[in-house]
Amino acid sequence: MATITPALETHGHGHDHAHGHHEQTFIQKYVFSTDHKVIGIQFLITTLLMLMVGGALALAVRWQLAFPWENMPIVGKLFGVFQGEGGQISPEFYTMLFTMHASVMIFLVIIPVLAGAFGNFLIPLQIGADDMAFPVLNMLSYWFMWPAIFCFGYSFIAGGATAGPANGWTSYPVLSDIASASPSSGEAQTWWLFGLTLVGVSSMMGSVNYMTTIINMRAPGMTLFRMPLTIWSMFITAILQAFALPVLTAAGFMLVFDRLHTLIPTSIHSVFFVPAGLVVNNAAPTVGGGQPLLWQHLFWFYSHPAVYIMLLPAMGMVSDMLACMCRKPVFGYKPMVYSMAAIAGLGFIVWGHHMFTSGMNPALGMTFMTSTMMIALPSAIKVFNWIGTIWDGDIQFNAVFLNCAAFVALFIVGGLSGIFMAAVPVDIYFHDTYFIVAHFHYVLFGATLFGVFAGVQFWFPKMWGREMHDGVQKVHFVLTFIGMNGTFFPMHLLGIAGMPRRYADPYLHGYLEHLLPMNQFMTISAIIMGFAQFLLLGNFFYSIFYGKKVGRNPWNANGLEWSAPSPPGHGNFDVPPVCYRGPYEYSGPESEALGQDFILQTTAPPAGVKVAAAHH
Amino acid sequence: MKKFWALFFWFWPLVALYLCVIAPGRNWWFPSKPLSTLGHQIDGLFYLILIIVTVTFVGTEFALGYALWKGATKNPSSRAWFSHGSHKLEIVWTIVPAFVLVFISLTQLDVLADIRVLSRFPDSVKEAPVAEVMARQFEWRIRYPKPGTDLMTSPQPGDLYYVNEVHVPAAVPTMINLRTQDVQHAFFVPRLRVKQDAVPGLVIPVWFEIEEAGDYELLCAELCGWGHYKMKARIVAESPEGVSAYLTRLEREQNEDGVQEAETASVE
Amino acid sequence: MRLGLAIMLHTAVLKRAGIAAFLAIVVTGCSDNNASFSISEKTRSLIPEAQAGIAESPGVVALLDQKFGTPQTLKAWMKLPVQWGGAAAKVEVFAADGGEAKVKFTAEEGQTFPEKAGFVNVVTGAGAGKTFSVSSWDAATGEAVLTGLDGGSLAAGDICSIDGGSTIQSGRVLYMRHCSHCHGTAGDGNGPTAQYLYPRPRDYRHGVFKFTSTNDMSKVSRDDLLRVLRYGIPGTYMPSFLLMKDDELTAIVEYVRFLSMRGEFERKLVNELASDFSEDAVESRLKDEQRSDIVGELAKFLAEDLPGVVDGIGAELEETWVAADTEDARIIPSVPRVPDSDESRRRGRELYLSKTLNCADCHGIDGAGNGPQTMIYEKNPVTSVPYNEPGLHDVWDNLNQPRNLHTGIFRGGRRPIDLFCRIHAGIKGSRMPSFKNTPHEDIWHIVNYVLSIPFESEPGATGVAAAPAAAPDAAAAPAAGE
């Protein structure tokens, strides 16, 4: 009883029953598709491939830190420019590597894989809708990713092979603003900004769609507090996007106006972020009365909420998966929802903590410190509730569960290290050191990506009607987990030792020299971790064609999506779903009455079972 | 196998903890004890947070591992605990962390004010910066006032210049004016626990009191272009007499006309 | 849905090709990749035979390899005045014991033992050419324990080099780490970063350095190079390396001198061959000559004349570079600085505007660096092709406009003596000419004036009005400093 045996169901393939079904060409069906599932899968495959690109850039960064100025594999010969130097890269190339690593990972992997891939695939299925509210807008949100990818890709070479965007993903002016300030501040930075704007357009289309769909298109009986936490998290994320993104877009356009003359010499040349009288690289002194701190405020006003955009959906998904894998209701459903809402709300008033050393008014620093401290609270509540969810559960130790447990375990580290940074005096020391790098990698990799790894495997059967190989996923999990900790945990120590980020050669400074062996260990860990991702990709693509066939509900889960065929046809549900209860009634009296430990949200209440009054 | 996974989740926090415990002995910790007055307070706050965080880390990771262990050793025929949560627990684990966080937050305020709020700077330094530290791609240009005069915002004829080395008095509060000539930089002195961004267009006063005479690394901590890592400089803290002797020497060097120098060389 | 993807993704051919391409990239991408010294464009313009050599006689590229090696295997042309590092020493006592031997060395005349020693090269004696490693070394007494003898042996009286080339080697390592990404592996000022910098990093291959304390016709001294490394060049991307250790800086200076000599050697050698044996020259000669005849002539030249030419260039390099470090080369003002006064500044301004010195022709009447010369289209002195943009150009063909004296930035240093040298010797390689015939007192007046310019309340405030006729006159005058 307790174990989940994915059973092949023979009945009901959605294709035959879907309403409104009509013949479509291949292109309509799989390329410019308006079907949310196809779009979700398109997002997923795109982001998985971009994950490999971002990972390759990260390995190049790690190579330089472990073996500074030695022949870099592949890159050393790639462009010919480093061949005379014996494959020794140049410092501006190094700055490009970490800038593009961050840009690709944040804008082309983490944000689109959560909101784009899982948001698209899951929202209609989990709320019992047949598609998104605006299918064409949805299609456009995916196809706006490609111009963004093109702009980011073109920015690598727009200014020359070694002059890719290299001002950090934060692109602080005036470095990113004055064309002569850095090799990358010519055309490359402008293209990068175009890419950023297009990603924003894509996200915005998604977020409008998600909000509308979740508010308007829930199945009968799907009240707000019967929604899975995944949906709650997507809903809150969409709200965050909708309110924060315009600010980034505006800031981006301001910077574009400051810089457009690098592309079109006769065009507008504003100076929003440039004060007068700076002389960079012997160019003429700057004119104008701009203020560089303005960018930091605007940028972080978006980018701090964006950190939660990069995390909340994974939190929701993990809550769903943990409940299923522990065969237990989520512990404290409403506190979970409220804490997500609190994170989102507080997320708007903490951006200043990125600027504690910036020379901003100290009174603001105090305010931001307090609000930042308080945002740790909902995160803590969520952690306690996840542990409560696992507590005394009938745990299924498969790779989905392990990745979810890793999510919780690593999020604890990322959350706790954040407290150091919230405390201004301590942050003054840690600002822009490797401590920060450790912190956000524990959150973004340790938490979000492990959540994604779990999610990919968990919803894979719904996408393809087959399952991924669990053994391979476990090997992938172990290698990634060990590699991840081996790479990022020592970064805390590097940070405490005072190693600044974004240094091409930290060992130039005597007090950091002895840290080289530790960096080499980290790089080896990173290589293991990087190559382990081929297991994930291999398993993913292999299982699409050769995975074991499974039926509608291989995990014996409760959500509405599991009552649809696998894969669901156009229009999703063969029987219009009606929702009778929340999504987490595992092992409860109702399921017991049916002789199982789960009960689908669509299953009518079994006769004779007295349903407890609302617990919430 | 199930027990293995439970142990796996118990094991790695222990490794992490072990790493942190051995780190100071392996020189994987602060580059040195704090050597400025504010540095002591900052380190004190760091260790306070470290203790709170370590206890929380051990507690939560242990609880997580224990939950897994419980699941791994669960009687296969028994069902999962059907519970939607506990109101009491939620209240407890909301209130307690909230108090802890507010407590941490309050402990920081005074130190923050001492570091940043101009009106709380020591009176002796408020009006008398010893030097202007001008960051540029990719070095630190230092400007001292002519001995006996005050530092002006704009360069004065008698000013003394040097690069990548700032001489300041030890054991007394000192203030410098931080500026940048081009892009944004940050003034980072790890052993003093001092960090302040140099923002284009602003003159930012930074104060510290170095406790011991000696050399202190100064580097850039805000991405300033391809040579970011090259901005290697030092602060030399010495007795006030040492500083004025240095400035006298610097003044002589800066006024060298090649004649006296040649004469002294020929005498030797 | 699956079918569609199957068509897109699942073709065995695509898969195999993908794996093969991946492996190919990894394998070739990770293979050895050695740094190399670049060859100048002019050398590359020679016909292949002149570059590589014919039969036993080496050509230019082969000679460069022979005399200077590659970054991996540097060679020491002992004739050159470079401090290679290490010391030559004579074996005094030799006692072998299995694979080890205890040796006592005495330093040859004028040599001092290095502090640390890793290896010993045998220069003369039975084991000449062999290398032994040193397991312990005492610089005070000259006693060493050698290992790795492998049957090799030394005898009293043999000459060895202890740690030979250690300075130049450490100079190379440091150079590759700190300098080469701008200045290029060969010091050609064309590393990967160079293209983004204005002004461009120095190309050492002319053997010319701008900011020196030596006479206008002398090369740069070691002290000058050291000074630039320590204090950087304000107003450019040359940063200060103040905190590097003295021996590191010395090593870099020696390596920079080594690269300069290599570049000069290459230039001078190519100049001997270019007029007759460049691709262009050969092409035009083919009108009335056979290629085989030309190659025959080249072979004869390479075999008979070139060794003499090489020796001559070597001797010239030795002489000029040694001379730069002597007292004779150094500029020492004959009078101390004239005290800085309004009177002196006014005199300086007069001289600045005078017809004889004519500083305003380039630096402008107000010292803003906008004199009439900055508007003129110059011709490249070698090729006689006019430059694309107006203004003054240096010997590296870069636009090099006269300094705006109001910025308070003095690239060659702000000490009075620095400015004195700039005026006395000019700025080598640039269009700032030498004013060595100007009385030193007058130079000091100009120095006083120049130092006061950044603090002028308004341009030309020193009180001497510019002669109204100066500008039109100057526009017609030929470029200064020819």
Side-chain angles (χ1 to χ4, degrees), chain A residues 30 74 88 92 162 282 505, chain C residues 1 29 176-177 193 196 235:
Chain A
Y30 299 114
I74 302 174
Q88 166 183 333
E92 66 273 14
T162 61
N282 285 304
D505 186 357
Chain C
M1 193 178 299
M176 290 300 285
R177 182 175 181 188
T193 311
Y196 309 112

Side-chain angles (χ1 to χ4, degrees), chain A residues 181 296 327-328 332 357-358 385 392-393 409 423 425 428-429 431-432 497 503 508-509 511 514 518 585-586 596, chain B residues 27-29 31 61 74 79-82 84 90 108 137 184 190 195-197 199 220-222 228-229 232:
Chain A
Q296 296 186 25
R327 320 303 302 157
K328 255 191 85 197
T357 68
S358 70
N385 278 314
D392 210 5
I428 284 177
Y429 181 72
H431 179 83
D432 261 335
Y503 267 30
L508 214 66
H509 302 270
Y511 78 104
H514 65 283
M518 189 191 268
E585 303 304 306
Y586 295 100
Q596 53 194 26
Chain B
N27 205 4
W28 294 337
W29 207 244
E61 296 288 1
K74 199 175 173 66
R79 296 174 76 94
W81 173 41
F82 182 68
H84 287 87
E90 299 289 348
Q108 314 285 323
Q137 291 175 325
Q184 193 166 342
K195 189 179 285 146
Q196 174 60 52
D197 288 5
V199 182
C220 181
E222 186 66 65
H228 177 39
Y229 66 103
K232 180 181 179 179

Side-chain angles (χ1 to χ4, degrees), chain C residues 267-310:
Chain C
R267 280 171 61 81
K268 295 196 158 132
L269 204 57
V270 174
N271 283 344
E272 295 289 330
L273 290 159
S275 56
D276 292 335
F277 302 110
S278 70
E279 292 281 9
D280 289 349
V282 168
E283 200 179 327
S284 62
R285 285 176 70 182
L286 281 177
K287 280 175 206 146
D288 19 57
E289 286 176 87
Q290 292 295 315
R291 194 167 203 282
S292 56
D293 293 340
I294 301 175
V295 172
E297 186 194 324
L298 175 68
K300 189 156 170 287
F301 181 81
L302 291 182
E304 292 172 11
D305 301 336
L306 203 62
V309 171
V310 168

Side-chain angles (χ1 to χ4, degrees), chain A residues 71-74 77, chain C residues 24-33:
Chain A
N71 177 19
M72 184 176 280
I74 302 174
K77 289 193 165 176
Chain C
I25 290 172
V26 169
V27 170
T28 56
C30 296
S31 60
D32 271 353
N33 200 0

Side-chain angles (χ1 to χ4, degrees), chain A residues 26 30 69 71 73-74 76-77 83-88 91-92 162-163 183 281-282 464 466 505 507-508 544-546, chain C residues 1-2 4-6 10 29-36 176-178 180-181 185 192-193 196 198-199 235 237 411:
Chain A
F26 178 82
Y30 299 114
W69 312 123
N71 177 19
I74 302 174
K77 289 193 165 176
Q83 207 132 28
E85 303 276 304
Q88 166 183 333
E92 66 273 14
T162 61
N281 203 7
N282 285 304
W464 308 101
R466 294 171 188 267
D505 186 357
Y507 318 107
L508 214 66
I544 291 176
F545 307 109
Y546 307 111
Chain C
M1 193 178 299
R2 255 189 294 143
L5 271 167
H10 182 62
C30 296
S31 60
D32 271 353
N33 200 0
N34 285 332
S36 55
M176 290 300 285
R177 182 175 181 188
H178 298 283
S180 77
H181 70 89
T185 313
T193 311
Y196 309 112
Y198 180 75
Y237 269 122
R411 291 191 180 167

Side-chain angles (χ1 to χ4, degrees), chain C residues 4 22 40 56 68 112 118 171 189 194 250 301 310 363 397 407 409 437 468 479:
Chain C
F22 178 74
S40 78
E56 296 297 298
F68 298 90
T112 46
T250 325
F301 181 81
V310 168
H363 289 284
D397 280 355
T407 59
I409 293 170
N437 298 324

